[in-house]
Amino acid sequence: MSVLLPPASRKPSQRKTGLRRKESKASRLAQTLRHEVARMQPGERLPRRIELKARYGVSTSTVDDAWAILRREGLIESNGVQGYRVTMDVSRLAVAA
């Protein structure tokens, strides 16, 4: 049998206002990759998934999600089984530190 607690003794729920959402691993990895892409030439290949997983200690899905972020931003494109390449001249890319 469950016992209902009176409202005063319940744990207060977290309010959505005033709380910062924790940045995802994919977002942090995408930010790191932006810095790498900013130093690359158009057409240059990004490191392979297995290299990124080992270098940053993240999962395959985290790498894929980070690549998806950069694709949406127009910084990289997929070349099928050949991996990802820089799509544009990123020398003017403003990368937040």
Side-chain angles (χ1 to χ4, degrees), residues 31-44:
Q31 181 64 27
T32 300
L33 293 176
R34 260 187 225 101
H35 289 283
E36 288 187 30
V37 167
R39 295 187 302 267
M40 299 171 80
Q41 298 297 316
E44 194 172 341

Side-chain angles (χ1 to χ4, degrees), residues 10 15 22 32 37 45-46 49 51-52 54-56 63 67 73 77 87:
R10 291 183 188 161
R15 295 180 185 159
K22 188 176 178 182
T32 300
V37 167
R45 286 177 45 176
L46 272 69
R49 178 185 290 121
E51 294 168 8
L52 294 175
R55 185 185 310 169
Y56 298 108
V63 173
W67 280 341
E73 294 173 357
E77 64 185 358
T87 59

Side-chain angles (χ1 to χ4, degrees), residues 4-38:
L4 293 178
L5 300 174
S9 62
R10 291 183 188 161
K11 289 185 178 179
S13 63
Q14 290 182 336
R15 295 180 185 159
K16 290 185 181 180
T17 57
L19 294 179
R20 262 184 95 195
R21 187 173 184 191
K22 188 176 178 182
E23 189 176 26
S24 71
K25 288 181 184 179
S27 295
R28 291 191 308 262
L29 179 58
Q31 181 64 27
T32 300
L33 293 176
R34 260 187 225 101
H35 289 283
E36 288 187 30
V37 167

